[in-house]
């Protein structure tokens, strides 16, 4: 009661007193605080019952006003006084003792506002950064402390200041060999001793970071440690702010800080332990569609309603928590200094992917395989940081660079298992795994494509290995015994209007015709290639020209857009415009298409006998590979006129075999063409579902085959046109 009366009286006196010069006013408020400790024996009253908060606020206002009245960067007498008399050091001692009760909160607020409001750089001053460093160590000591909010605000402003001037971080890498502070004998006595300690008279100093002190591994990064402690707070808002602070710190360009971050703090443990615990909290069985379609999650923004989430599907809340933390790890690694990013990404691989995800993917339970593959697909989709993507790719596919052989396909068990799952007895697992690979080959990582496909095509040993003089003479660009598709009655001139492109289309895009199919640069004239694909499916097996809006033009537009996107992804990679010169290729090595293409070609060969959804996914992966702007992949997948080595197959040769099989089977099915048209209309929703149609799987396979050939023709045309337009 007496202290409240004193406060009222003091405010009245201040109101009546004439305004003092700023420095005198500043000193007055500081002396008022120190006198409180000298005169008060009862330290049990909370700080809010004293004038201390008011005096601290006034001191801040004066410092802000002083800076506003001076030239930029000029230190005024009040700031000089604060630095010279080590006011921040004294306040730290008072805050540490929390005397009177609540003083720590007041000190944290004062430091925060001082750093936030004063524009001139304060942290280089030894009498600022030393007490700031000490105060940092007090933060996060106690979980759910009453000062948590003030602690996180203070830590975040320090992080923001370091982001502005990254070199200052060296002040906050504290050598472990330094002696710990000696504890004062008692709370109140220690405070009094500090307040009454004589001024040393040393002028305020700016201290330069000592580069040698940070070159060893014995530094504490207390700022990171305190933020890590606060990420364990039960208050979600505190956790998000702590994560934001860590995001700022990992991005600092100082190598010593990056090294200290990963070697001397528990940041990697926090990231991986939480990732593991969130993953293990997921239900063992989840609907892949739920995993795929749950809204995209940004860390820190996962506002949720438990009742609503439970109503949607079991495990949604756990899934969002996992994906949210994954997003944070990904963004943190993306923002981090390169060396720190590499260490953190490797930690995720070693502590999460290998021990937790790999056993899930290698299990034999079909439900478990489906759930873990769907989760992996979602992870692949979500990861954007180069370092984390690289480690994930090495985890999935291995780091091998040399071409595969049939004997080495099993040397990486996880890679082998995942590719085998593309041809699993369960159609659901096959589709999910194919979708996973479709997602993977679209990621901006060169090793994915090298591992799955390109390493096996490097030597072009899928081509016939005969000297030029030993080869058969060419007729229209082909060996005399080869079937010219355009002369074959199966692919005659009575084609539908949509199957060929009009002559005017080719005038603007094709080069002058040469006597051979192959031009001097080894590229086959594009109109021959396009028509080869468009003519592959015989007329009686075509149904698209009976239905409006299913023409070739749609594929051209899609292929143009997708190819442009792929070129944007691949432009940094050293993919030459032309294939490796034939004379430099080692054609003696037996060709092996590789495990991935083998499974895809095998499935493509069964297109007439497997479910529609499987076929859609197989052709989707093959079309994505065909779009890639690599000359060997283009040659192998999109040039029907290459002379294959004995025993080798290409995408075109696989489709030719399927068409041959189809021709034998068409004549055994009565009313084949009307049935085919009915199935197409049902698939497009133009006809209601009615009675079952015989040979449904075959008919759906024929429709997918026709559409896929049109898609490949469009891709070949778009890629050729892009190459032609880029020539000088």
């Amino acid at each position: 009661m007496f202290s409240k009366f004193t406060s009222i009286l003091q405010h009245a006196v201040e109101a009546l007193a004439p305004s003092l010069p700023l420095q005198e006013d500043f000193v007055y408020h500081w002396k008022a605080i120190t006198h409180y400790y000298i005169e008060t024996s009862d330290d049990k009253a909370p700080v809010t019952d004293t004038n201390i908060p008011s005096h601290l606020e006034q001191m801040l206002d004066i410092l802000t006003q002083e800076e506003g009245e001076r030239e930029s960067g000029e230190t005024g007498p009040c700031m000089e006084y604060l630095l010279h008399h080590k006011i921040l050091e004294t306040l730290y001692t008072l805050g540490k003792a929390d005397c009177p009760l609540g003083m720590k909160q007041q000190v944290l607020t004062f430091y925060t506002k001082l750093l936030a409001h004063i524009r001139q750089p304060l942290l280089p001053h030894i009498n600022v950064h030393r007490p700031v460093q000490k105060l940092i160590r007090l933060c996060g000591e106690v979980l759910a402390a009453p000062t948590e909010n003030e602690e996180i605000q203070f830590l975040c402003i320090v992080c923001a200041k370091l982001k502005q001037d990254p070199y200052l971080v060296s002040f906050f890498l504290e050598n472990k060999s330094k002696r710990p502070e000696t504890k004062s004998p008692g709370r109140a006595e220690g405070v009094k001793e500090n307040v009454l300690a004589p001024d040393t008279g040393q002028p305020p100093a700016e201290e330069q970071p000592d580069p040698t002190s940070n070159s060893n591994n014995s530094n504490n990064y207390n700022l990171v440690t305190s933020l890590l402690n606060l990420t364990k707070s039960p208050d979600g808002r505190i956790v998000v702010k702590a994560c934001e602070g860590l995001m700022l710190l990992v991005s600092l360009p100082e190598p010593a800080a990056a090294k200290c971050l990963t070697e001397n703090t528990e940041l990697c443990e926090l990231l991986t332990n939480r990732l593991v615990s969130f993953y293990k909290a997921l239900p063992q069985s989840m609907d892949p569609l739920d995993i795929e379609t749950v809204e995209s999650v940004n860390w820190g923004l996962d506002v949720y309603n438990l009742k609503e989430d439970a109503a949607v599907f079991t495990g949604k809340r756990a899934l969002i928590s996992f994906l949210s933390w994954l997003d944070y790890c990904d963004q943190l690694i993306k923002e981090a200094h390169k060396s720190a990013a590499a260490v953190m990404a490797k930690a995720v691989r070693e502590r999460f992917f290998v021990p937790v995800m790999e056993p899930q993917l290698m299990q034999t339970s079909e439900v478990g395989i489906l759930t873990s593959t769907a989760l992996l697909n979602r992870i692949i989709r979500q990861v954007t940081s180069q370092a984390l993507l690289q480690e994930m790719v090495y985890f999935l596919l291995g780091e091998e660079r040399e071409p595969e052989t049939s004997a080495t396909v099993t040397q990486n068990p996880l890679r082998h298992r995942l590719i085998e799952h593309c041809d699993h007895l369960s159609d659901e697992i096959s589709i999910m795994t194919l979708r996973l690979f479709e997602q993977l080959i679209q990621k901006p990582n060169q090793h994915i494509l090298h591992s799955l496909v390109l390493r096996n095509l490097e030597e072009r040993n899928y081509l016939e290995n005969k000297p030029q003089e030993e080869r058969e003479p060419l007729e229209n660009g082909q060996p005399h015994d080869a079937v010219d598709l355009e002369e074959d009655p199966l692919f005659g001139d009575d084609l539908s209007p949509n199957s060929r492109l009009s002559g005017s289309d080719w005038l603007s895009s094709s080069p002058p015709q040469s006597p051979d199919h192959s031009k001097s640069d080894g590229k086959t004239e594009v109109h021959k290639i396009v028509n080869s694909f468009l003519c592959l499916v015989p007329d009686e097996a075509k149904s698209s020209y009976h239905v409006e809006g299913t023409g070739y033009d749609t594929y051209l537009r899609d292929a143009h857009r997708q190819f442009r996107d792929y070129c944007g992804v691949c432009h940094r990679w050293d993919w030459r415009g032309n294939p490796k010169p034939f004379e430099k290729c080692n054609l003696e090595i037996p060709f092996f298409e590789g495990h991935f293409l083998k499974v895809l070609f095998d499935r493509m060969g069964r297109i007439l006998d497997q479910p529609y959804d499987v076929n859609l996914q197989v052709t989707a992966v093959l079309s994505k590979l065909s779009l890639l702007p690599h000359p060997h992949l283009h040659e192998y997948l999109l040039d029907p006129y290459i002379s294959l080595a004995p025993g080798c197959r290409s995408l075109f040769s696989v489709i030719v075999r399927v068409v041959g099989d189809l021709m034998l089977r068409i004549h055994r099915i009565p009313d084949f063409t009307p049935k085919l048209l009915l199935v197409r209309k049902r698939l497009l929703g133009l006809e209601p579902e009615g009675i079952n149609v015989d040979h449904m799987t075959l008919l759906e396979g024929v429709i997918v085959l026709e559409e896929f050939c049109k898609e490949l023709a469009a891709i070949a045309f778009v890629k050729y046109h892009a190459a032609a337009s880029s020539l000088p």
Side-chain angles (χ1 to χ4, degrees), residues 386-401:
Q386 288 297 323
L388 186 55
L389 178 59
Q390 184 71 35
E391 290 296 337
M392 182 169 66
V393 169
Y394 286 158
F395 160 68
L396 294 173
L397 303 179
E399 301 182 36
E400 295 78 22
R401 303 282 301 170

Side-chain angles (χ1 to χ4, degrees), residues 655-693:
I655 297 173
V656 167
R657 284 180 179 275
V658 172
V659 171
D661 181 34
L662 173 63
M663 293 306 297
L664 296 173
R665 295 163 74 171
I666 281 177
H667 304 296
R668 301 180 198 149
I669 300 172
D671 302 320
F672 178 84
T673 304
K675 286 177 181 176
L676 186 66
L677 187 58
L678 175 63
V679 171
R680 178 179 279 273
K681 287 182 175 178
R682 282 187 181 177
L683 289 172
L684 292 170
L686 302 174
E687 285 280 343
E689 292 294 327
I691 56 169
N692 287 335
V693 179

Side-chain angles (χ1 to χ4, degrees), residues 423-718:
D423 198 2
H424 198 275
L425 287 172
S426 159
D427 292 333
E428 270 193 293
I429 289 174
S430 293
I431 291 167
M432 182 51 63
T433 312
L434 285 162
R435 290 174 74 177
L436 183 149
F437 279 105
E438 183 186 10
Q439 190 76 243
L440 196 59
I441 60 178
Q442 294 177 80
K443 301 298 283 190
N445 182 285
Q446 193 174 3
H447 185 71
I448 296 168
L449 298 163
H450 183 83
S451 174
L452 289 174
V453 182
L454 295 177
R455 58 175 164 159
N456 304 308
L457 308 180
E458 275 181 342
E459 299 300 328
R460 298 175 72 198
N461 46 349
Y462 43 84
L463 298 172
E464 186 179 22
N465 182 16
K466 278 187 182 178
Q468 189 67 41
E469 58 273 12
E470 290 182 26
R471 296 187 186 184
E472 299 289 344
L474 297 179
E475 295 179 11
N476 292 326
Q478 289 188 289
H480 76 279
D481 58 344
V483 177
D484 189 325
L485 295 170
E486 295 178 37
E487 298 299 324
D488 194 295
L490 191 65
F491 309 113
D493 289 328
D494 55 337
L495 298 169
S496 63
N498 286 329
S499 62
R500 280 185 184 270
L501 295 180
S502 63
S504 60
D505 286 323
W506 301 111
L507 292 175
S508 62
S509 57
S510 294
Q513 296 223 357
S514 60
D516 295 341
H517 277 283
S518 294
K519 298 183 302 179
S520 58
D521 65 357
K523 291 178 182 172
T524 306
E525 289 177 5
V526 71
H527 70 284
K528 304 273 188 187
I529 292 176
V530 170
N531 282 327
S532 293
F533 280 113
L534 291 178
C535 301
L536 254 179
V537 177
D539 267 7
E540 56 264 51
K542 287 181 177 175
S543 55
S544 62
Y545 55 90
H546 294 294
V547 180
E548 195 175 336
T550 57
Y552 170 71
D553 293 349
T554 307
Y555 287 109
L556 274 176
R557 285 192 294 272
D558 289 346
H560 177 74
R561 176 182 54 78
Q562 291 175 3
F563 182 64
R564 185 187 60 214
D565 292 345
Y566 261 129
C567 288
V569 170
C570 304
H571 78 278
R572 299 184 306 277
W573 304 339
D574 183 26
W575 286 0
R576 299 169 302 281
N578 291 316
K580 184 177 179 179
F582 205 62
E583 61 275 10
K584 292 184 179 178
C585 294
N586 185 354
L587 299 172
E588 300 300 324
I589 302 172
F591 176 67
F592 176 56
E593 58 210 4
H595 192 196
F596 186 56
L597 279 180
K598 179 185 182 304
V599 168
L600 289 177
F601 284 177
D602 288 349
R603 293 229 74 147
M604 189 67 210
R606 303 201 299 272
I607 194 170
L608 303 178
D609 301 296
Q610 60 196 8
Y612 178 71
D613 289 338
V614 172
N615 286 336
L616 286 180
Q617 201 54 56
V618 171
T619 54
V621 175
L622 285 167
S623 69
K624 292 287 189 304
L625 290 173
S626 302
L627 277 160
L628 287 163
H630 191 284
H632 295 179
L633 203 53
H634 178 86
E635 176 180 63
Y636 184 59
L637 295 181
L638 289 177
D639 192 344
Y641 294 100
I642 57 172
S643 297
L644 291 169
C648 294
R649 57 182 179 171
S650 67
L651 178 57
F652 189 80
S653 74
V654 170
I655 297 173
V656 167
R657 284 180 179 275
V658 172
V659 171
D661 181 34
L662 173 63
M663 293 306 297
L664 296 173
R665 295 163 74 171
I666 281 177
H667 304 296
R668 301 180 198 149
I669 300 172
D671 302 320
F672 178 84
T673 304
K675 286 177 181 176
L676 186 66
L677 187 58
L678 175 63
V679 171
R680 178 179 279 273
K681 287 182 175 178
R682 282 187 181 177
L683 289 172
L684 292 170
L686 302 174
E687 285 280 343
E689 292 294 327
I691 56 169
N692 287 335
V693 179
D694 293 337
H695 309 285
M696 177 68 88
T697 299
L698 171 69
L699 294 167
E700 288 176 338
V702 171
I703 291 165
V704 174
L705 181 65
E706 182 190 353
E707 296 303 308
F708 185 48
C709 288
K710 288 194 295 184
E711 187 175 13
L712 292 174
I715 292 169
F717 174 74
V718 165

Side-chain angles (χ1 to χ4, degrees), residues 68-313:
E69 293 173 356
R70 294 185 167 268
E71 293 289 327
S72 177
E74 186 184 346
T75 304
C78 298
M79 182 59 74
E80 292 278 6
Y81 185 90
L82 178 135
L83 297 171
H84 184 88
H85 291 271
K86 300 184 180 179
I87 287 176
L88 292 180
E89 194 78 50
T90 304
L91 284 174
Y92 158 73
T93 306
L94 302 178
K96 183 183 181 187
D98 202 24
C99 175
L101 200 63
M103 189 61 187
K104 182 180 176 183
Q105 198 169 25
Q106 296 297 323
V107 171
L108 285 162
T109 301
F110 183 85
Y111 272 63
T112 302
K113 289 182 177 178
L114 181 71
L115 293 173
H117 295 169
I118 300 300
R119 294 189 304 277
Q120 64 173 299
L122 292 177
L123 285 175
H125 290 277
I126 190 170
N127 290 340
V128 177
H129 69 73
R130 276 197 180 164
V132 165
Q133 172 72 293
K134 290 177 184 177
L135 193 59
I136 286 168
R137 289 201 294 267
L138 295 186
C139 298
E141 282 187 324
V142 181
L143 273 186
T147 54
E148 260 192 348
N149 196 49
E150 287 75 20
E151 289 174 20
I152 197 62
Q153 296 293 341
F154 164 64
L155 294 174
C156 283
I157 193 64
V158 175
C159 293
K161 288 295 175 183
L162 295 183
K163 184 70 174 171
Q164 286 175 8
D165 295 301
Y167 80 96
L168 294 174
V169 74
S170 300
F171 293 131
F172 295 90
L173 305 179
E174 197 173 33
N175 200 298
K176 286 181 182 178
S177 61
K178 286 185 180 178
R179 272 190 323 174
E181 292 177 64
T182 53
K183 293 187 178 179
S184 49
R187 185 162 168 254
E189 291 83 351
V191 170
K192 279 192 179 182
E193 281 174 21
N194 188 281
V195 172
L196 296 172
D199 180 13
T200 62
Q202 291 179 347
E206 289 195 21
E207 189 176 65
Q208 292 302 314
D210 177 11
T212 59
S213 68
N214 299 326
S215 60
N216 55 43
N217 291 341
S218 60
N219 288 326
N220 279 326
Y221 203 162
N222 292 311
L223 187 51
V224 172
T225 303
S226 293
L227 286 168
L228 289 173
N229 287 338
L230 287 170
T231 63
K232 300 164 189 168
S233 168
D235 186 336
R237 294 166 303 172
I238 301 289
V239 174
V240 169
K241 293 291 286 182
C243 288
E244 287 172 354
L246 290 168
M247 188 78 76
L248 288 174
L249 293 181
V250 298
S251 66
L252 299 180
E254 296 296 305
K259 186 177 182 185
C260 191
L261 189 82
T262 52
E263 291 184 4
N264 299 329
T265 77
E266 295 183 0
L267 179 61
C268 290
E269 286 83 349
L270 167 83
L271 297 181
T272 54
N273 291 350
R274 202 163 286 189
L275 207 54
V276 169
S277 62
F278 281 136
Y279 187 88
K280 288 185 173 179
L282 296 171
Q284 286 294 304
S285 169
M286 298 176 77
D287 187 331
L289 192 61
D290 289 338
I291 295 169
E292 184 181 355
T293 57
V294 71
E295 57 271 19
S296 85
V297 178
N298 295 318
W299 73 273
L301 299 177
D302 55 334
V303 180
Y304 60 94
N305 181 308
L306 282 173
K307 287 184 180 175
E308 285 180 12
D309 284 349
V312 177
F313 65 87

